[in-house]
């Protein structure tokens, strides 16, 4: 019997340019997002998650526990600058989940608060839709897959992809559904419900690093 089922939609793009910025995102362009049936929706409190929920016409309740990783003094700074100024700190951050060279939040702390949130989710037959940051989804996968927090940076979560987590008989399973390639929505027959088409600006915004620079 299913105890908990939730689908997490990634609102954060991965760094694709030559100068990734800590705590920043690039727009993902136009993508088709097929939302699963859900009984209630939550989102991270960031403005970008609010914009995506609005674009998808999803009434999602913001929850502070779903907030992004706190990058401290490194927020908004190019990784190249951080690597040049504090290479040992950056290396420690990417290899040691307890490290906080930026004075913000450690990966281990993010994983702990995310695990606490998952554990406290109420049981029920419905599905929960969660629009949140890539870092929170990685932390959720660390808990669901029972892998060490050290594996956090190896878990790739593509922008606008959806990860479905299911808790059954005390065991979590995870399934990743990557977004479809950007394209125009096809014509639909009368009465058909098309997948939502989400368009984000192409310029640089706030984005979380998704691996080693």
């Amino acid at each position: 019997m299913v105890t908990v089922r939730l689908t997490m939609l990634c609102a954060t793009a991965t760094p694709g340019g030559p100068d990734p910025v800590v705590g920043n995102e690039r727009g993902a362009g136009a993508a088709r997002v097929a939302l699963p049936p859900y009984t209630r929706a939550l989102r991270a409190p960031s403005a970008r998650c609010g914009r995506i929920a609005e674009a998808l016409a999803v009434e999602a309740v913001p929850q502070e526990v779903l907030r992004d990783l706190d990058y401290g003094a490194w927020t908004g700074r190019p990784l190249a600058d951080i690597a040049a100024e504090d290479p040992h700190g950056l290396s420690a951050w990417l290899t040691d989940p307890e490290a906080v060279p930026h004075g913000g939040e450690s990966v281990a702390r993010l994983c702990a608060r995310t695990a606490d949130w998952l554990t406290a989710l109420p049981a029920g037959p419905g599905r929960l839709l969660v629009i949140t940051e890539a870092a929170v989804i990685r932390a959720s996968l660390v808990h669901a897959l029972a892998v060490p927090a050290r594996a956090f940076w190896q878990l790739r979560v593509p922008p606008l992809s959806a990860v479905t987590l299911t808790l059954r008989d005390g065991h979590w399973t995870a399934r990743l559904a990557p977004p479809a390639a950007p394209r125009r929505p096809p014509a639909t027959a009368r009465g058909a419900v098309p997948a939502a088409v989400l368009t984000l600006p192409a310029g640089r915004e706030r984005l979380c690093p998704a691996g080693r620079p």
Side-chain angles (χ1 to χ4, degrees):
M1 180 178 180
V2 173
T3 303
V4 176
R5 178 179 293 165
L6 66 152
T7 295
M8 309 183 81
L9 179 65
C10 179
T12 308
T14 54
D19 191 26
V21 176
V22 176
N24 280 13
E25 77 178 35
R26 289 183 184 276
R32 292 177 54 76
V33 179
L35 297 178
Y38 61 92
T39 53
R40 64 190 182 106
L42 304 174
R43 67 170 178 85
S46 66
R48 64 171 162 259
C49 288
R51 289 194 299 269
I52 288 179
E54 182 178 1
L56 294 173
V58 173
E59 295 186 7
V61 179
Q63 284 204 342
E64 182 64 20
V65 70
L66 297 173
R67 68 189 181 276
D68 199 3
L69 178 68
D70 179 3
Y71 302 99
W74 290 355
T75 300
R77 297 193 58 198
L79 281 173
D81 290 357
I82 297 171
E85 178 181 302
D86 188 8
H88 298 295
L90 182 60
S91 177
W93 184 55
L94 295 172
T95 56
D96 180 4
E98 301 285 350
V100 283
H102 44 57
E105 183 179 28
S106 70
V107 166
R109 181 70 195 103
L110 169 66
C111 290
R113 69 168 159 94
T114 304
D116 289 344
W117 172 73
L118 285 170
T119 302
L121 286 176
R127 184 195 297 262
L128 178 65
L129 175 65
V130 180
I131 301 172
T132 190
E133 321 290 348
V136 176
I137 299 178
R138 288 194 195 97
S140 298
L141 288 170
V142 165
H143 176 71
L145 301 176
V147 296
R150 191 177 298 274
F152 177 88
W153 293 115
Q154 279 66 56
L155 297 170
R156 308 292 297 196
V157 182
L160 298 179
S161 61
V163 173
T164 295
L165 300 179
T166 304
L167 178 64
R168 180 184 286 110
D169 297 329
H171 299 284
W172 286 97
T173 58
R175 180 173 60 85
L176 172 66
R183 56 189 176 89
R184 291 183 178 275
T188 57
R190 177 176 295 182
V193 179
V197 178
L198 175 63
T199 301
L200 299 179
R204 174 177 294 180
E205 291 187 12
R206 296 202 160 254
L207 136 84
C208 165
R212 300 189 182 190

